């Protein structure tokens, strides 16, 4: 069985991933003209905020005095790449969706990797599994929307 310290470390890593996604979707929402895509991105900003809050509360219940509150350096670089890509492609929505899907690939992989651990406490596993279902659905929605647009 993993220790509370190991579990809070895993949770803090996932909180960073969620905060990266939250900031990435916020930046992407600012770069699209489509009201439909902007609405999707803004709903995903709220989703990631909610999920991060759930994991912060869970980490706190496991003894973490100060759960993670921000994204990672690599996430900041990824968000910068979204801005660069948008600028280079004149806010091309297909390109922005493609980059968001790439970020979602990372989030899905991170959740999957964490859930593959056999030593997670059942309460942690349950919350992560529920979030994973929604993270994967968001990934697929972004991918499908990207695929529905013709690259310009």
């Amino acid at each position: 069985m993993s220790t509370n310290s190991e579990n809070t470390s895993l949770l803090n890593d996932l909180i960073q991933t969620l905060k990266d996604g939250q900031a990435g979707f916020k930046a992407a929402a600012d770069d699209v003209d489509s009201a439909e895509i902007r609405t999707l991105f803004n709903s995903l900003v709220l989703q990631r905020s909610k999920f991060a809050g759930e994991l912060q509360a869970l980490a706190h219940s496991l003894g973490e005095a100060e759960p993670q509150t921000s994204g990672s350096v690599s996430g900041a670089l990824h968000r910068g790449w979204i801005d660069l890509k948008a600028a280079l492609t004149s806010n091309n929505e297909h390109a922005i969706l493609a980059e968001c899907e790439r970020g979602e690939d990372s989030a899905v992989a991170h959740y999957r990797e964490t859930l593959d651990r056999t030593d997670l406490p059942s309460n942690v596993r349950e919350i992560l599994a529920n979030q994973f279902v929604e993270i994967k659905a968001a990934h697929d929605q972004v991918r499908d929307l990207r695929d529905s647009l013709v690259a310009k």
Side-chain angles (χ1 to χ4, degrees):
M1 185 62 120
S2 58
T3 66
N4 279 351
S5 176
E6 291 169 330
N7 289 324
T8 57
S9 179
L10 289 170
L11 292 173
N12 279 326
D13 287 347
L14 285 172
I15 291 165
Q16 278 187 331
T17 296
L18 291 165
K19 291 296 188 175
D20 291 344
Q22 182 181 356
F25 282 123
K26 172 73 174 99
D30 292 341
D31 284 339
V32 295
D33 294 326
S34 166
E36 175 190 8
I37 297 172
R38 188 176 319 105
T39 298
L40 170 63
F41 288 164
N42 285 329
S43 72
L44 294 174
V45 167
L46 294 175
Q47 177 197 67
R48 300 310 156 92
S49 177
K50 175 185 171 232
F51 287 175
E54 289 174 355
L55 296 189
Q56 288 164 334
L58 184 57
H60 188 63
S61 76
L62 294 174
E64 177 68 66
E66 295 184 34
Q68 188 67 38
T69 59
S70 64
S72 66
V73 173
S74 65
L77 293 174
H78 178 71
R79 287 189 303 278
W81 201 86
I82 287 175
D83 291 343
L84 176 61
K85 183 92 169 175
L88 292 175
T89 60
S90 301
N91 293 348
N92 180 298
E93 290 173 347
H94 183 273
I96 293 168
L97 285 161
E99 186 58 21
C100 287
E101 195 232 345
R102 192 172 73 87
E104 287 296 88
D105 287 343
S106 176
V108 166
H110 196 174
Y111 266 82
R112 194 170 273 141
E113 177 184 302
T114 304
L115 285 167
D116 282 346
R117 294 180 60 105
T118 59
D119 57 351
L120 288 175
S122 60
N123 64 324
V124 172
R125 180 174 301 286
E126 181 180 353
I127 290 170
L128 295 182
N130 289 336
Q131 288 185 358
F132 176 73
V133 168
E134 292 189 52
I135 296 281
K136 180 71 170 92
H139 167 275
D140 294 349
Q141 189 176 10
V142 169
R143 180 202 60 216
D144 292 348
L145 191 54
R146 179 210 62 205
D147 290 348
S148 75
L149 298 177
V150 176
K152 295 180 180 179

